[in-house]
Amino acid sequence: MASKYFVPGTGRAPGVSDLFAAIAPRYDLINDLQSLGMHRVWKRRLIAEAAPAPGQRALDVCCGTGDVAFGLATRGADAVGFDFSHPMLAVAAERASRDPLPAGSGTVRFQQGDALDLPFPDRSFDVVTISYGLRNLADFHRGLRELTRVLKPGGRLLVLDFGKPDFLPWRWVYFQYLERICPLFGRIFCGDGDTHGYILDSLKAYPAQHGVEAALRELGYAETRIVNFLGGTMTLNLGRRP
């Protein structure tokens, strides 16, 4: 049975909003537990690949509690963390007030809004990242076009998300984990298994790493590549806007 938070197509946003409101207080804890802390390694790889130069502008869309936005800022970027979930942004803002950026960092600020209608001018960021968010958008292709619109020529786009392993037996094992184990985290920490049963439902509807690669090429990106983690269970797509 599909998660109550998953609604395919254009009606997805309200369910996703309810989902992140439910999980925001324990989001970081559950991520650490269900990935054995590896999500932090993958995000550090994304930030290293983004490699913003001091003073460059970086946009982290679907920023959640701010991990990537903070990381980009510590590299010297002036970073904007952007998300439509107020509860998630509240956690990010609390983290910002509790843990100031180290000396020599750039800046970070957080803003609420719709990833399908970004309130930024064309070609305004040197780096655009999105982690565990593209899969949740109501319109995958429109989301990528909007991310591209605000990226400067020569700028880098990086997409980190759940993947679909090419090796089918490993994909089966992975999907079994998502179906049978992940909902337990939701039941234990959020009182609702559907909060994490959503992951598999959304992943099945998502074109994953090869679909992102194809879409980036259609949009004219150069130097596209895929970095697979854990046999493709997690993936990082990269491209440079010509």
Side-chain angles (χ1 to χ4, degrees):
M1 181 180 296
S3 166
K4 67 189 176 190
Y5 296 104
F6 179 75
V7 178
T10 58
R12 182 175 301 187
V16 174
S17 178
D18 291 343
L19 167 66
F20 284 105
I23 68 176
R26 298 175 179 85
Y27 181 78
D28 293 318
L29 171 63
I30 298 173
N31 277 352
D32 281 333
L33 292 173
Q34 72 179 4
S35 74
L36 300 178
M38 291 299 292
H39 76 102
R40 299 183 184 276
V41 175
W42 302 326
K43 290 170 183 172
R44 286 198 295 270
R45 176 64 181 274
L46 177 150
I47 293 162
E49 293 280 359
Q56 286 189 327
R57 299 191 70 208
L59 173 66
D60 182 38
V61 179
C62 301
C63 67
T65 60
D67 282 351
V68 172
F70 291 127
L72 293 167
T74 60
R75 289 289 189 111
D78 293 321
V80 178
F82 188 86
D83 204 293
F84 84 144
S85 172
H86 181 268
M88 296 289 276
L89 289 174
V91 175
E94 193 277 331
R95 289 178 64 187
S97 64
R98 184 184 68 233
D99 300 314
L101 293 169
S105 298
T107 61
V108 64
R109 65 181 178 89
F110 295 98
Q111 184 171 340
Q112 186 175 8
D114 184 356
L116 297 179
D117 188 18
L118 296 171
F120 306 109
D122 295 355
R123 304 182 175 192
S124 52
F125 292 95
D126 302 281
V127 174
V128 175
T129 63
I130 181 167
S131 301
Y132 305 110
L134 186 59
R135 172 175 44 87
N136 298 326
L137 300 185
D139 188 329
F140 164 82
H141 290 286
R142 179 179 169 188
L144 279 179
R145 288 194 300 270
E146 190 66 354
L147 297 177
T148 301
R149 180 184 66 77
V150 300
L151 185 61
K152 293 180 181 179
R156 298 170 301 286
L157 175 64
L158 302 95
V159 180
L160 176 65
D161 216 318
F162 288 84
K164 294 177 180 175
D166 294 326
F167 185 54
L168 293 182
W170 179 230
R171 184 186 297 193
W172 182 86
V173 171
Y174 173 49
F175 278 22
Q176 289 296 304
Y177 170 78
L178 294 178
E179 180 178 5
R180 300 177 184 275
I181 304 301
C182 277
L184 295 177
F185 291 101
R187 293 192 194 107
I188 293 168
F189 294 101
C190 303
D192 186 353
D194 277 358
T195 58
H196 287 69
Y198 169 89
I199 295 173
L200 180 57
D201 293 329
S202 61
L203 178 56
K204 287 180 176 178
Y206 178 58
Q209 63 268 39
H210 296 299
V212 175
E213 168 84 0
L216 292 180
R217 289 182 177 275
E218 288 176 5
L219 288 168
Y221 278 80
E223 302 173 27
T224 61
R225 58 190 172 97
I226 300 170
V227 179
N228 287 312
F229 305 110
L230 296 180
T233 59
M234 297 291 159
T235 61
L236 176 61
N237 285 87
L238 307 95
R240 184 180 298 274
R241 182 178 179 183

